[in-house]
Structure formats: C-alpha cells, structure tokens
Amino acid sequence: MVELTNEELNSLNRVILTRYGIDFTSYETGSFKRRVARAISVFNLESVHSLWAKLLKERDFIYPFIDELTVGLTAMFRDPILWISLKKVLRTYHEKDPIHIWHAGCSTGEEVFTMGILLDELNLASQAKALATDLNQGAVKAAREGKYRKQVMDEYIQNFREYNSVKRFESYYTPHGDTVCFNQSLIRHVEFQNHNLIMDKMEQKFDIIFCRNVMIYFDTATKLRLLQQFYDCLNPGGYFIIGFYDALVPLIDEKKFEFFDLNAKIFRKI
C-alpha cells in the first residue's frame, strides 16, 4: 500500500478544497492517510500524484473518491446497551409531537432503521420527524433503500436478541436472494440528505442527536467545534448520543452536558 508524506497529504487536501470546496484538513492525519492510501489501491492508481491528476482531470471522480474515503462501519442494534437505555429516553417524549431527531453521519442507515424499530415498538413513529445526513452519497442512497447482505444478519439478529429477547427480528424485513429488505414503514418519518458536518451549517433544532463513531476521524479542534454545533442544535434538555469509540468524554463540557447514561454514551443538554 502507498505511504503518504505529510506534504503529499497537504497538497491533496488543497486540490480538493480549491477545486471542489470540500475540506478534509480537519481529519486526524494518521487516519486520513490510511483512508487515502486505501482509495489509491481501490482505484488501481500508482501514486498520490496519479490520484491528484485524476481529481484535476475528471471532475466527477470526486464522488466515488469521497464515498471511498468516508466508508462507515455500523450495524443494526450495535451496542445493545445503548438501545435499551434509549427506550427510557423515548418514553419521556410520549407527550411531544413532533419529536425531532438528527442522525448525523448516518452511513448506510443501520442506525436509522434501528431507531425506526424502537419508535415502532413504543408507538411513537407517527410523532417522530427525523433527518438522516451523511457526506457519502452512496451511503445515503443505501440508507434510503434499507437493503443489507444476508451474511451480516447473524450479527444483527444477535444484537437484537440482547436488546429484545421476546420479539422476532425477522418481522422487520423480507429476504430477497442474498439480501434482506427492511420495511420502508420504519423510515416513513425520515428525510435523507447529503451534508458535510465540517462545512455545512445546520439551522434546525432537535430533541435527539446521534453522531456515533464519526468524530473519531477528526482532530481535537474540530471535535470541539462540532460539540458546540450539536449543543446549539439541541433543544433544552435534548439528548446527544456518541459512539463507543469516539473518545469524546474528556472533551465534553460538563457545564453544557450532563451524563445521562455514561455506559451508553448518552448526554443531556443542560
């Protein structure tokens, strides 16, 4: 795999920012180098220079390139302890209509469908209004479709059983060949959009914001800026949910957020 120098990475970032207006300079350097190196391999390119040239010559190449850079790792009912705790959160909103939810960095939609199942179980789907966003256009398209490979279903089923040992997970999807299709009724309340967390503003207000295992890729200054953005976007008493690997707890301002459930990584706006 190609090894990038800091100078090569900085040059590439300048090309992308100047030509396409997309800023990757806030990404943690080591992680971003690995992702660019992987993309060079995936697209059968020889070097950083050949990638740089392709980005300059082929304007549409930026889309598959970004999709490769921002591939997310997620799963249905990932970290069951979170979803068990989140039921307590949702029960506090039984009298609220609508319940505004933001899935920031929704990836391929596993989290969005998981939330849809919780809302369905608690009879809150008709009260919910969610926004699911991601920079990766391919991921947003996949999230809308809700089609996942059968080979990952064993993991998803096991996660669901830890969350709910009574109900059958199979009732939420239909098998089709080597894929399964989740019921579109689970995301009837969701609007999907492409959105760049670093560069695009968010003017809406929300009761619940998810941003799980996304900020792990950003430097400390960007993490702090995004934490402020999420704080500003939350309604008073709203909930902010991070990933188990984001390593954000030391950066959380306890004057702005209280720990609702530290084990589940759920915080509440003060």
Side-chain angles (χ1 to χ4, degrees):
M1 188 172 288
V2 173
E3 292 188 9
L4 288 79
T5 66
N6 287 342
E7 290 75 16
E8 288 173 326
L9 193 68
N10 291 337
S11 177
L12 181 65
N13 277 331
R14 285 196 297 272
V15 167
I16 295 172
L17 181 58
T18 302
R19 186 165 177 79
Y20 300 101
I22 300 171
D23 187 359
F24 283 112
T25 58
S26 298
Y27 275 62
E28 192 276 323
T29 302
S31 174
F32 194 60
K33 278 183 180 179
R34 290 190 293 272
R35 286 180 170 236
V36 171
R38 185 185 64 188
I40 290 172
S41 175
V42 167
F43 294 112
N44 296 314
L45 300 171
E46 297 178 356
S47 64
V48 179
H49 178 74
S50 57
L51 171 61
W52 182 86
K54 191 173 180 68
L55 283 165
L56 287 177
K57 292 178 182 177
E58 301 176 25
R59 194 168 187 87
D60 288 343
F61 176 66
I62 189 66
Y63 302 113
F65 176 64
I66 288 176
D67 285 355
E68 185 59 36
L69 286 184
T70 58
V71 169
L73 297 176
T74 183
M76 298 282 291
F77 286 93
R78 183 176 185 176
D79 307 314
I81 186 176
L82 162 65
W83 304 100
I84 293 168
S85 184
L86 196 54
K87 268 193 163 183
K88 301 174 188 176
V89 171
L90 288 172
R91 288 191 178 104
T92 68
Y93 285 112
H94 256 288
E95 302 300 319
K96 191 173 191 307
D97 190 358
I99 306 165
H100 290 282
I101 302 164
W102 181 17
H103 298 272
C106 68
S107 188
T108 45
E110 287 88 341
E111 175 189 281
V112 183
F113 277 93
T114 299
M115 187 63 167
I117 291 172
L118 262 70
L119 292 167
D120 180 71
E121 286 186 350
L122 296 172
N123 295 316
L124 289 173
S126 63
Q127 294 168 230
K129 187 174 182 181
L131 178 65
T133 64
D134 203 281
L135 175 62
N136 187 317
Q137 293 185 343
V140 172
K141 182 177 183 292
R144 285 194 185 99
E145 294 176 348
K147 294 181 181 179
Y148 305 108
R149 293 171 293 118
K150 273 187 177 177
Q151 65 190 67
V152 303
M153 293 309 295
D154 287 345
E155 177 190 355
Y156 295 2
I157 289 169
Q158 180 58 39
N159 288 346
F160 181 78
R161 284 175 180 165
E162 292 182 38
Y163 157 78
N164 185 336
S165 60
V166 178
K167 193 157 185 176
R168 291 179 66 254
F169 190 49
E170 292 84 349
S171 65
Y172 293 109
Y173 61 83
T174 304
H176 285 285
D178 60 355
T179 65
V180 302
C181 298
F182 276 81
N183 301 342
Q184 286 292 302
S185 61
L186 295 170
I187 58 168
R188 194 174 292 144
H189 65 289
V190 182
E191 177 185 355
F192 292 92
Q193 289 182 7
N194 284 105
H195 178 268
N196 185 331
L197 272 175
I198 296 174
M199 300 188 69
D200 298 338
K201 291 184 179 180
M202 179 58 67
E203 304 293 344
Q204 298 183 43
K205 295 287 187 179
F206 302 92
D207 301 299
I208 300 171
I209 295 177
F210 292 86
C211 189
R212 304 189 68 217
N213 303 318
V214 175
M215 287 189 282
I216 190 173
Y217 302 114
F218 300 143
D219 60 31
T220 299
T222 303
K223 289 177 181 178
L224 289 170
R225 181 161 57 84
L226 288 174
L227 284 171
Q228 182 62 50
Q229 176 177 309
F230 291 132
Y231 176 82
D232 293 340
C233 286
L234 275 171
N235 287 321
Y239 295 86
F240 176 52
I241 302 162
I242 65 174
F244 281 34
Y245 305 107
D246 279 322
L248 283 173
V249 173
L251 301 180
I252 298 288
D253 187 342
E254 295 185 31
K255 295 179 181 178
K256 295 179 178 178
F257 292 100
E258 63 179 353
F259 298 160
F260 175 80
D261 187 335
L262 188 56
N263 289 328
K265 302 295 185 292
I266 301 176
F267 303 87
R268 182 163 49 197
K269 179 175 179 175
I270 297 173

